[in-house]
Amino acid sequence: MSILPPNVNDETADTAGGRVVVVLVLILGLIFAAAYTGAHYAAGDKVPRGTTVSGVSIGGHPQAEAAERLQAGLADRVSGPIEATVEGQPVSVDPSAAGIGVDYDASVAAAGGKRSWNPVRLWNYFTGGQDFEAEVTVDEDAFAKALVGLNEKYGKAPREGALGFDAGSITTLKPRLGRELDPVSTRDALVTAYLAEDDDAPELELTQVAPEIDEADLEQARTTFANAAVSGSVTLSFDENVVKLYPADYTPALSLQPVDGVLVPQLDAAKLAEVVAANVSADGAPVDASVALVDGKPKVIAAKPGVSYDQAQIDAGFLALVAAPEGQRTLSVDAKVAKPEFSTKDARALKIKERVSTFTTYYPYAEYRNVNLGRAAELIDGTLLKPGETFSLNDIVGERTVANGFTNGYIISDGILTSDLGGGVSQMATTTFNAMFFAGLEDVEHKPHSFYIDRYPIGREATVAWGAVDLRFKNDTPYGVLVAANVTPATGSSSGVVTVSMYSTKWWNITTSVSDRYNPTKAEVRKIDTKKCHANTGYGGFDIDVKRYFSPAGANTEKRPTENFHTTYTPSDTVICTNPNAEDNVS
């Protein structure tokens, strides 16, 4: 038996023992790892055993299957409305419309239904079994819209205070408290009741809501702007021309609008421009004075100076101007001023004060007469003749064209009727001639019709033709003359009416006489073979004389000899249309 050194035997024994321990630890580690891995794969993404979500059992099932089970288990509860009350009134809220729903996947994940190496997750899976509530989601936009609908039905919106202007006065709309559902508490109550299994309907509380614009805001707006705005006129100074604008004029261009909880003055620049332009000529051209009929009486329409100015300069200073105290309510505007050629004083000097003559004629229905006579009256009405000026019907009415508002009608040409633009306007010439005749104005040019038309006064009538025959007369009185013309259209059952009146200061009293007819002539028979032929039953012609007697009126001391108007009417021939396609032969 050999004896080893003591140190060698001890070291060998320790090394062998350590190796055994290491091997054992490794073996145990491998066993634990294998068990842990097996537990991990056994748990997978399954929900811990015994788990419920909002009372629905989903434990031990993979996540996707658990989500399906949860959805099926909650189907009855999520399909119906959420029942609640508002001040004792029952309310049914559609959860889908309110954006309320369940996130099934998130609910399962929150309950532990997800794959993980976390030992807590594995421990919970094998030893778990807790009760969870489903994850309820809210679409905030949809909920906000639903809340608006509930407030409209059960609440009462606050009324915002407002100040306005009417005819230069301040108008007030007083603010009023409102009552609305509180968004946070209403949201929480509906979410809680959404999946609740009991039948207790939550009470949705209405709370008072203050308007953004309250009495204090109204008072501030009154004292800082509105009271001053209606306190008196403001003045725009265009160099030498001064224009006053009164509250009733300019307040339609003002308003007070809520901005960040206060009322802020606002200016409607377009409306203000209209107000300024009504007092000065916006295009820089002066406007002459005139005379017009107002309520049936002649009235001088004041002249307007021409003013060129920058509207933006007025806009920029106007709100401060109307809010300024008395004595500081003038705004100087850079401008160029031009005076009108015919002033208001000149217009008054015309002394157009009364109707000095009027004459009316009538006509049978024909639509072309309604159109042409109406258009002629529109153009003649309002004509102003200053002393010494001459009236020309052709100059005033213009060429009778479609573009000028006229249509085809019948005229007399070469002693027979034919169709042409402006037919019927001669009746306006006749009516105007008679109004001139009895006003005592000077006859410059007139031509009677070639044959007599019995609806016109015999010997006192006139015809016109563009470029050939005109009606002209001169205002040879010391006063102005305003010509007024009006047409009442004819209908199938009533005659048309043409009236022309002259307004001035009376200078002559006019009387007249008519001679007997003399120098009679016989009508002929004419056969015409054209498509434009119009059949006519003729009658004879004759001569006649009409006298006009002048008697001074008012301040007139003149003497004027009697005037004689001689007219020769040619026969109106009988016309027979021989062309089978003539207009009068076509039905």
Side-chain angles (χ1 to χ4, degrees):
M1 179 175 194
S2 63
I3 299 174
L4 296 175
N7 291 339
V8 173
N9 292 335
D10 289 343
E11 288 178 4
T12 302
D14 288 342
T15 300
R19 289 174 180 170
V20 170
V21 171
V22 170
V23 170
L24 288 174
V25 170
L26 289 174
I27 292 172
L28 290 174
L30 290 173
I31 293 171
F32 177 79
Y36 191 80
T37 301
H40 169 74
Y41 285 105
D45 66 346
K46 297 175 184 177
V47 177
R49 298 171 181 176
T51 298
T52 63
V53 175
S54 294
V56 178
S57 177
I58 61 171
H61 297 286
Q63 185 170 345
E65 183 181 333
E68 292 175 358
R69 284 177 172 272
L70 179 59
Q71 184 172 3
L74 295 178
D76 291 341
R77 278 187 269 172
V78 301
S79 61
I82 303 172
E83 301 296 341
T85 61
V86 176
E87 295 190 334
Q89 297 184 63
V91 178
S92 292
V93 178
D94 181 356
S96 61
I100 300 174
V102 175
D103 187 334
Y104 297 101
D105 291 334
S107 299
V108 170
K114 59 183 178 180
R115 188 183 298 274
S116 174
W117 288 97
N118 191 321
V120 176
R121 145 71 181 159
L122 298 179
W123 178 263
N124 287 338
Y125 171 74
F126 290 102
T127 65
Q130 300 181 48
D131 296 326
F132 295 89
E133 293 299 324
E135 294 285 333
V136 177
T137 61
V138 179
D139 182 326
E140 298 299 340
D141 290 339
F143 178 75
K145 291 180 181 179
L147 191 63
V148 169
L150 290 172
N151 281 326
E152 288 177 352
K153 187 173 183 180
Y154 300 101
K156 189 175 186 179
R159 184 172 67 194
E160 300 295 335
L163 291 183
F165 301 98
D166 181 26
S169 299
I170 301 172
T171 61
T172 303
L173 182 64
K174 291 187 175 183
R176 184 179 62 197
L177 291 173
R179 301 185 71 207
E180 295 181 352
L181 294 170
D182 176 66
V184 175
S185 63
T186 300
R187 181 184 186 279
D188 291 345
L190 293 177
V191 167
T192 300
Y194 178 44
L195 298 179
E197 295 185 272
D198 55 50
D199 295 329
D200 292 338
E203 174 71 19
L204 306 182
E205 296 182 1
L206 291 171
T207 59
Q208 282 192 341
V209 181
E212 289 188 8
I213 305 300
D214 58 18
E215 286 285 4
D217 297 317
L218 296 184
E219 185 59 27
Q220 181 183 11
R222 284 192 198 94
T223 56
T224 59
F225 183 79
N227 287 339
V230 300
S231 63
S233 64
V234 297
T235 301
L236 302 179
S237 177
F238 299 92
D239 292 339
E240 297 179 357
N241 185 49
V242 174
V243 173
K244 275 194 172 183
L245 302 179
Y246 294 89
D249 300 323
Y250 62 73
T251 50
L254 303 180
S255 63
L256 287 155
Q257 300 297 326
V259 178
D260 296 331
V262 295
L263 291 175
V264 177
Q266 302 287 334
L267 177 67
D268 186 326
K271 288 185 178 179
L272 179 61
E274 291 177 6
V275 173
V276 177
N279 290 270
V280 296
S281 177
D283 62 1
V287 178
D288 286 342
S290 62
V291 182
L293 290 183
V294 178
D295 296 329
K297 296 180 180 180
K299 180 181 178 180
V300 171
I301 308 301
K304 294 181 183 179
V307 179
S308 298
Y309 59 92
D310 184 1
Q311 180 66 38
Q313 184 184 8
I314 299 174
D315 296 343
F318 198 76
L319 290 178
L321 176 66
V322 299
E326 186 177 357
Q328 301 177 31
R329 298 171 70 82
T330 297
L331 178 65
S332 295
V333 182
D334 299 332
K336 295 180 180 179
V337 180
K339 294 182 179 180
E341 293 183 1
F342 191 68
S343 68
T344 303
K345 182 179 179 181
D346 295 333
R348 292 194 179 104
L350 294 177
K351 294 183 179 180
I352 300 175
K353 298 179 178 180
E354 60 187 328
R355 190 174 70 182
V356 296
S357 72
T358 186
F359 200 80
T360 297
T361 60
Y362 303 88
Y363 64 90
Y365 172 74
E367 191 55 33
Y368 78 86
R369 290 193 181 103
N370 285 338
V371 172
N372 293 337
L373 285 168
R375 177 58 176 155
E378 180 183 5
L379 295 168
I380 291 171
D381 187 49
T383 298
L384 181 64
L385 296 177
K386 299 170 187 175
E389 290 186 338
T390 297
F391 176 101
S392 165
L393 188 143
N394 278 343
D395 286 350
I396 293 170
V397 173
E399 186 175 0
R400 273 67 91 187
T401 64
V402 173
N404 195 21
F406 292 93
T407 188
N408 276 317
Y410 292 120
I411 64 170
I412 299 173
S413 178
D414 191 25
I416 62 173
L417 291 173
T418 187
S419 177
D420 199 2
L421 280 165
V425 171
S426 287
Q427 178 145 358
M428 180 59 69
T430 291
T431 312
T432 305
F433 173 81
N434 277 272
M436 174 280 298
F437 183 95
F438 288 103
L441 304 181
E442 179 185 342
D443 176 34
V444 176
E445 176 187 351
H446 90 279
K447 182 182 183 301
H449 288 85
S450 57
F451 54 77
Y452 176 56
I453 300 173
D454 60 7
R455 67 174 179 274
Y456 298 154
I458 193 168
R460 292 199 325 265
E461 43 91 9
T463 186
V464 287
W466 176 255
V469 180
D470 199 2
L471 169 65
R472 296 192 299 143
F473 55 86
K474 182 179 179 180
N475 175 17
D476 57 347
T477 77
Y479 308 117
V481 175
L482 175 65
V483 183
N486 179 67
V487 169
T488 301
T491 68
S493 59
S494 63
S495 297
V497 182
V498 183
T499 300
V500 177
S501 302
M502 305 280 176
Y503 291 83
S504 184
T505 291
K506 201 164 186 64
W507 190 244
W508 297 108
N509 289 314
I510 301 297
T511 55
T512 186
S513 64
V514 182
S515 71
D516 292 333
R517 303 181 186 188
Y518 60 97
N519 293 337
T521 53
K522 292 184 179 180
E524 297 181 355
V525 176
R526 299 168 65 178
K527 295 183 178 181
I528 298 176
D529 189 31
T530 66
K531 291 183 179 181
K532 290 188 175 182
C533 176
H534 297 277
N536 181 59
T537 300
Y539 49 86
F542 56 89
D543 287 9
I544 198 160
D545 294 305
V546 173
K547 296 188 182 298
R548 179 164 67 159
Y549 306 98
F550 296 84
S551 175
N556 187 11
T557 58
E558 294 183 30
K559 291 185 178 179
R560 180 169 293 183
T562 299
E563 287 183 333
N564 185 64
F565 294 84
H566 174 77
T567 303
T568 296
Y569 290 113
T570 61
S572 173
D573 292 338
T574 295
V575 176
I576 298 173
C577 299
T578 59
N579 191 311
N581 294 318
E583 292 182 10
D584 279 5
N585 290 335
V586 178
S587 58

